[in-house]
């Protein structure tokens, strides 16, 4: 979501002399949308007043484990919301957080409280602490309410192949991943694509915390997204069950959070993006399976970017796609029907009656919009449910259409990018300078490539190294499998490294087997940015035993495949909540300090190295599993400090952890233990060092 300045007043620093308050007025905006009749005239003042009010904060409870998400929801409902009722601030009663009525399972919430109240009101300060801690570990994600709608309409199942063609910044992609992971071992995959190289890396930060081996991130112009081969046979290409086209747009529906809309709005913004939006939608329909579903969405009010694009796509596909009536979907969501008539204004600010001044004919209503099903589109307005504005359309592909009309000539996007830069839209797009490896949409003429641009600086942890799969019988894999007692049913052929040599040097990754041919058969055609989760990391201080640590990202995947045969020295130990709390508070507690003797005996039966720690999750719940280090004389719970703080707050109800969740360092000697105490040089890195691995990603493996 967009950010405000240090206070709640809309201000800009573009003018010399410091911060100036921006007036939430734009005569051209008001004239244009009044004439379009986007709402009845009797509602205009209510609509326009709401557009100028600050947008409430909304958030989702997230995660690839639906069970965990429901637990966090219950914690919110039972331990925080009841204490936020009947609170007055400066003489006014403060509204507590409320559920979004249309979001499934009560996992999305809205807060209509100002920052001052949250900071200075004690009950809300406690609630804010909960939000911060859960956000730090990825259990809560701040996301605008209307932005949550498109993924829900797709009805993603755990076996689906899904692509998000314009994925950055990634909040909708995260919803798609969560839907795929609705079951314990999903077979579906999610392809997250963005045309901007730098933003595709930023996208990774948004979705990486979900720890999904079923995700792959690509960097291509959505208009020209290439077909992905999945087998060596002729015409064996990946077709998608679900496609999301949340396209670049003028973004004027974000006026409540993006104050620059009021200053910069122009009719040119929507006109310049219209053809690009048609091209992306058309490409998405080509990639979609017959019987599959596609959502087209924008955060714009403009019918030129919305209904006009939808109508043109239906015309082009000649009955092979239909617009789905979503009236019965998402009960509780107030929505308006799509417009079937609209006006077109030229750059000269004059209304046009026909295609002129270079305006494409597809911008104009042509009288067939009702027949095309355009009324089934959805418009969400700010004054209906205190949200931003959004446009959503659900398509179903009835049958394949090899003879579908081309999308028309691709337009160079330099001007479109200027519009997006001006308005600060979350969606950005650009044509790639090198199109030689892409499969173009049919068009009357190929556009000229843009001049090469200077390479942007990437995030510090961006990894540009190639993906290389390891042989199933590689000695390193054999060593790890034997040491950790991993069963033979684990798909070894899905392990890879990120370096040119193809040898395991620092990190071993795991991708879902369905992604193996996607990467291996397309590495010269498709620009892959990210795939897989970290399974093992090399620990150079270990000699004579397995030097590969299990990473927390891959803990759940490996745990499901542990071979528990009689007589095997399985690296699994168990403890109760009391011992877990000790491990959260103290770094490297010595063996002789552990009160749970049964836990200690389990440790002593194992050699030095990483182990799986099972903790009883309570009656009816599955055990909670953590990575733990069994040292020569002490143990360490290998969790980053944010995860430790969250665990202490949610499980043990301990707030305000000193040092933001840092554990206390234990420096006492290991008296009375069978193993010597670890010195600083002998001990493995702490979880904050091993799990972040920032330096590792910058360097070549």
């Amino acid at each position: 979501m967009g950010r405000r300045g240090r206070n709640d007043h809309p201000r800009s620093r573009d003018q010399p002399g410091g911060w100036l308050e921006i007036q939430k007025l734009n005569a051209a905006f008001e004239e244009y949308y009044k004439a379009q009749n986007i709402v009845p005239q009797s509602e205009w003042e209510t609509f326009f007043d709401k557009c100028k009010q600050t947008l409430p904060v909304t958030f989702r409870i997230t995660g690839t484990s639906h069970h965990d998400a429901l637990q966090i929801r219950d914690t919110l409902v039972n331990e925080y919301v009841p204490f936020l009722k009947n609170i007055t601030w400066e003489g006014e009663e403060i509204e507590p957080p409320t559920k979004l009525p249309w979001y499934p399972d009560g996992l999305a919430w809205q807060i209509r409280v100002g920052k001052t109240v949250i900071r200075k009101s004690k009950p809300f300060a406690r609630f804010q602490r909960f939000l911060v801690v859960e956000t730090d570990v990825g259990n809560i994600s701040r996301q605008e309410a209307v932005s949550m709608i498109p993924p829900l309409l797709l009805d993603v199942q755990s076996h689906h192949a899904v692509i998000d063609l314009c994925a950055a910044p990634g909040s909708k992609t995260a919803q798609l991943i969560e839907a795929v992971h609705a079951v314990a071992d999903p077979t579906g995959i999610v392809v997250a694509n963005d045309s901007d190289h730098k933003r595709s890396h930023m996208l990774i930060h948004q979705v990486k915390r979900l720890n999904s081996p079923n995700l792959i991130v690509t960097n291509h112009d959505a208009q020209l997204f290439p077909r992905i081969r999945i087998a060596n046979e002729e015409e064996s290409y990946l077709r998608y069950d679900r496609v999301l086209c949340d396209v670049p747009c003028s973004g004027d529906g974000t006026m409540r959070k993006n104050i620059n809309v009021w200053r910069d709005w122009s009719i040119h913004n929507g006109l310049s993006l219209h053809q690009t939006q048609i091209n992306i939608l058309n490409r998405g329909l080509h990639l979609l399976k017959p019987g599959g579903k596609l959502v087209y969405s924008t955060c714009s009010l403009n019918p030129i970017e919305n209904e006009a694009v939808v109508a043109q796509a239906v015309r082009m596909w000649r009955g092979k796609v239909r617009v789905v009536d979503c009236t019965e979907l998402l009960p509780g969501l107030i929505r308006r029907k799509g417009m079937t008539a609209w006006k077109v204004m030229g750059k000269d600010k004059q209304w046009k009656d026909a295609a002129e001044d270079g305006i494409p004919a597809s911008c104009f209503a042509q009288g067939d919009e009702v027949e095309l099903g355009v009324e089934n589109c959805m418009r969400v307005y700010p004054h209906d449910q205190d949200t931003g504005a959004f446009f959503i359309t659900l398509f179903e592909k009835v049958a394949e259409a090899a003879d579908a009309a081309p999308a028309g000539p691709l337009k160079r996007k330099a001007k479109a990018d200027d519009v997006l830069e001006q308005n600060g839209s979350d969606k950005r797009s650009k044509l790639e300078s090198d199109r030689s490896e892409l499969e173009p949409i049919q068009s009357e003429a190929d556009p000229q490539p843009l001049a090469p641009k200077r390479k942007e600086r990437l995030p510090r942890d961006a990894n540009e190294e190639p993906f290389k799969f390891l042989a199933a019988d590689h000695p390193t894999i054999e060593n790890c499998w034997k040491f950790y007692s991993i069963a033979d049913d684990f798909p070894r052929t899905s392990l890879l490294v990120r370096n040119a040599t193809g040898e395991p040097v620092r990190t071993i990754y795991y991708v879902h087997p369905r992604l193996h041919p996607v990467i291996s058969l397309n590495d010269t055609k498709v620009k892959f940015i990210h795939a897989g989760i970290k399974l093992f990391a090399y620990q150079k201080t270990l000699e004579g035993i397995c030097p590969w640590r299990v990473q927390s990202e891959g803990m759940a995947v490996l745990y499901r495949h542990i071979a528990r045969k009689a007589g095997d020295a399985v690296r699994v130990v168990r403890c109760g909540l009391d011992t877990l709390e000790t491990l959260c508070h103290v770094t490297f507690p010595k063996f002789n300090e552990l009160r749970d003797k049964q836990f200690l005996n389990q440790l002593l039966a194992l050699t030095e190295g990483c182990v799986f720690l099972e903790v009883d999750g309570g009656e009816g719940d599955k055990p909670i599993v953590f990575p733990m280090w069994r040292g020569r004389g002490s143990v360490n719970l290998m969790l980053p400090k944010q995860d430790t703080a969250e665990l202490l707050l949610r499980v043990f109800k301990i707030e305000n952890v000193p040092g933001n969740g840092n554990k206390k360092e234990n420096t006492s000697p290991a008296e009375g233990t069978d193993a010597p105490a670890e010195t600083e040089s002998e001990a493995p890195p702490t979880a904050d060092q091993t799990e972040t691995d920032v330096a590792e990603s910058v360097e070549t493996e």
Side-chain angles (χ1 to χ4, degrees):
M1 294 185 69
R3 278 186 164 182
R4 244 182 228 296
R6 293 183 178 273
N7 52 43
D8 293 330
H9 300 290
R11 295 175 181 268
S12 171
R13 203 175 182 180
D14 294 346
Q15 301 295 328
W19 294 91
L20 295 177
E21 185 165 352
I22 290 179
Q23 297 297 314
K24 294 184 177 181
L25 295 171
N26 187 303
F29 175 97
E30 189 169 0
E31 176 192 356
Y32 181 77
Y33 285 120
K34 266 188 176 180
Q36 294 288 10
N37 288 318
I38 61 171
V39 296
Q41 290 300 316
S42 60
E43 293 183 33
W44 176 261
E45 293 301 326
T46 303
F47 162 78
F48 199 57
D49 286 344
K50 182 61 73 172
C51 289
K52 293 184 281 186
Q53 295 177 16
T54 301
L55 189 70
V57 173
T58 49
F59 63 89
R60 286 191 312 110
I61 300 171
T62 66
T64 52
S65 169
H66 190 64
H67 176 268
D68 291 348
L70 294 178
Q71 279 193 334
I72 294 168
R73 178 206 62 188
D74 292 344
T75 298
L76 170 64
V77 171
N78 298 326
E79 299 180 22
Y80 291 91
V81 173
F83 299 98
L84 300 176
K85 297 178 181 178
N86 303 319
I87 296 175
T88 58
W89 180 260
E90 296 182 349
E92 293 186 12
E93 186 170 342
I94 303 300
E95 184 177 349
T98 56
K99 290 186 292 188
L100 295 181
W102 44 267
Y103 199 95
D105 298 323
L107 294 177
W109 291 72
Q110 187 175 64
I111 311 171
R112 294 185 177 93
V113 176
K115 296 177 183 177
T116 302
V117 176
I118 291 178
R119 283 196 302 263
K120 295 186 178 181
S121 171
K122 205 168 195 178
F124 274 98
R126 178 174 173 266
F127 171 61
Q128 185 196 34
R129 169 66 180 166
F130 167 77
L131 293 180
V132 169
V133 169
E134 297 297 346
T135 300
D136 282 346
V137 298
N139 289 335
I140 284 178
S141 176
R142 184 175 174 183
Q143 182 178 353
E144 189 173 347
V146 288
S147 173
M148 305 175 192
I149 300 172
L152 294 178
L153 292 179
L154 280 174
D155 187 28
V156 173
Q157 303 297 311
S158 59
H159 61 279
H160 282 163
V162 186
I163 184 169
D164 186 349
L165 281 171
C166 311
S171 56
K172 298 180 189 67
T173 305
Q175 284 181 264
L176 299 175
I177 295 170
E178 291 164 23
V180 166
H181 283 271
V183 300
D185 194 10
T187 57
I189 60 172
V190 177
V191 179
N193 175 73
D194 200 81
S195 64
D196 187 284
H197 190 216
K198 185 175 181 180
R199 282 169 59 84
S200 64
H201 282 282
M202 295 170 62
L203 161 68
I204 296 170
H205 285 276
Q206 176 76 7
V207 298
K208 189 177 179 182
R209 60 190 180 185
L210 294 173
N211 295 336
S212 173
N214 304 54
L215 166 71
I216 193 164
V217 179
T218 60
N219 174 214
H220 286 282
D221 178 6
Q223 300 174 96
L224 305 171
F225 192 86
R227 292 191 300 175
I228 293 179
R229 185 177 291 278
I230 54 175
N232 287 319
E233 290 82 8
E234 188 85 14
E235 296 302 317
S236 292
Y237 293 97
L238 180 60
R239 306 298 295 276
Y240 300 91
D241 302 280
R242 300 290 187 265
V243 176
L244 177 58
C245 296
D246 187 48
V247 299
C249 66
S250 60
D252 58 17
T254 67
M255 80 295 282
R256 297 184 67 184
K257 68 172 183 178
N258 179 17
I259 56 173
N260 289 332
V261 168
W262 297 101
R263 182 191 62 190
D264 300 329
W265 188 90
S266 165
I267 186 58
H268 170 70
N269 300 352
L271 290 172
S272 62
L273 285 165
H274 173 78
Q275 187 62 53
T276 296
Q277 293 160 341
I278 291 176
N279 292 342
I280 294 175
L281 174 54
N282 186 53
R283 187 53 180 160
L285 290 170
H286 273 286
L287 295 169
L288 188 64
K289 282 181 181 177
K293 295 179 181 179
L294 177 149
V295 163
Y296 173 86
S297 60
T298 75
C299 50
S300 170
L301 292 162
N302 198 338
I304 307 303
E305 303 177 69
N306 297 334
E307 287 88 352
V309 173
V310 170
Q312 181 64 7
V314 178
R315 292 186 196 106
M316 289 161 50
W317 280 81
R318 302 168 185 165
K320 302 299 183 182
V321 301
R322 70 182 185 95
V323 179
V324 179
D325 183 358
C326 298
T327 305
E328 302 301 320
L329 302 179
L330 303 184
L333 174 66
I334 301 174
R335 80 289 302 269
R336 311 291 181 103
K337 291 182 178 181
M339 299 171 61
T340 56
W342 57 87
K343 299 179 178 181
V344 177
M345 180 181 283
K347 297 176 185 177
D348 58 358
K349 299 183 180 180
Q350 300 298 313
W351 297 106
K352 307 297 178 182
D353 294 324
E356 56 180 308
D357 294 342
I359 300 176
S362 56
C363 288
F364 294 82
Q366 299 178 23
D368 58 352
E369 283 72 23
V370 174
E371 179 185 347
L372 296 175
V374 174
E375 278 187 316
N376 290 334
C377 300
M378 295 170 51
R379 285 179 161 262
V380 180
Y381 289 142
H383 64 304
D384 285 335
Q385 282 182 304
D386 202 7
T387 65
F390 223 73
F391 176 86
I392 314 102
T393 302
L394 178 62
F395 287 88
E396 182 180 16
K397 191 172 187 178
V398 179
E400 194 53 83
D403 60 342
L410 292 173
K411 302 266 180 126
R412 291 185 61 169
K413 291 191 188 171
K415 293 182 180 179
D417 282 342
D418 291 342
V419 172
L420 295 171
E421 284 284 0
Q422 276 184 2
N423 291 322
S425 172
D426 283 345
K427 292 291 175 186
R428 305 172 55 82
S429 87
K430 64 177 182 178
L431 289 177
E432 297 171 341
S433 58
D434 184 6
R435 303 172 182 269
S436 59
E437 296 179 351
L438 298 177
E439 175 193 335
I441 302 170
Q442 297 176 4
S443 58
E444 297 174 4
D446 276 340
Q448 295 298 315
L450 297 178
K453 298 174 72 174
R454 187 173 64 181
K455 189 174 182 180
E456 292 185 278
R457 186 176 180 181
L458 298 177
R460 289 185 58 205
D461 57 347
N463 191 341
E464 296 284 277
E465 294 298 317
F467 297 81
K468 299 287 185 179
F469 283 94
L470 297 172
D473 59 353
H474 193 286
T476 296
I477 298 178
E478 293 284 359
N479 188 16
C480 291
W481 255 238
K482 182 178 180 181
F483 184 74
Y484 290 106
S485 301
I486 302 172
D488 293 335
D489 62 349
F490 188 100
R492 294 194 193 192
T493 55
S494 294
L495 301 178
L496 59 83
V497 295
R498 296 292 306 273
N499 61 59
T501 68
E503 287 296 316
V505 179
R506 305 184 81 171
T507 308
I508 297 174
Y509 299 84
Y510 167 74
V511 296
H512 190 276
R514 196 172 172 185
L515 288 178
H516 188 293
V518 170
I519 297 172
S520 60
L521 297 177
N522 300 275
D523 56 347
T524 61
K525 179 182 180 182
V526 181
K527 189 171 184 181
F528 298 115
I529 301 296
H530 167 82
I533 56 175
K534 292 179 180 179
L535 206 61
F536 299 107
Y538 184 71
Q539 177 65 46
K540 63 183 179 180
T541 59
L542 295 178
E543 296 180 2
I545 57 176
C546 180
W548 291 89
R549 305 186 311 271
V550 175
Q551 297 291 276
S552 62
E553 290 181 23
M555 176 63 62
V557 173
L558 281 176
Y559 179 74
R560 291 199 298 268
H561 293 274
I562 294 176
R564 299 173 184 262
K565 297 178 182 178
D568 285 354
V570 180
R571 299 191 67 82
V572 177
V573 297
R574 299 164 188 82
C575 75
L577 289 176
D578 290 343
T579 300
L580 177 63
E581 183 176 358
T582 298
L583 295 173
C584 287
H585 281 297
V586 183
T587 299
F588 294 113
K590 305 300 188 267
F591 286 164
N592 65 333
E593 297 172 343
L594 297 173
R595 297 179 181 178
D596 186 342
K597 299 307 177 184
Q598 186 176 0
F599 173 63
L600 174 60
N601 290 334
Q602 295 176 70
L603 289 172
L604 295 176
L606 298 175
T607 58
E608 182 181 2
C610 191
V611 299
F612 299 85
L613 174 64
E614 279 185 1
V615 182
D616 186 4
E619 185 177 352
D621 288 339
K622 295 180 180 179
I624 310 170
V625 185
F626 303 98
M628 188 177 71
W629 186 262
R630 189 278 196 209
R632 278 172 281 178
S634 62
V635 293
N636 179 42
L637 188 64
M638 297 173 62
L639 289 180
K641 63 183 180 182
Q642 296 92 340
D643 294 63
T644 303
E646 191 274 340
L647 193 61
L648 287 169
L649 178 62
R650 182 161 56 93
V651 177
F652 301 104
K653 317 304 179 189
I654 299 175
E655 302 180 17
N656 303 317
V657 180
N660 194 25
N662 282 311
K663 301 180 212 175
K664 299 175 184 177
E665 192 71 38
N666 192 339
T667 57
S668 61
E671 298 175 0
T673 181
D674 295 332
E678 284 136 333
T679 64
E680 185 175 343
S681 60
E682 294 170 331
T686 64
D688 293 319
Q689 295 169 311
T690 60
E691 298 299 320
T692 304
D693 290 330
V694 174
E696 173 186 324
S697 299
V698 178
E699 300 171 357
T700 302
E701 287 188 352

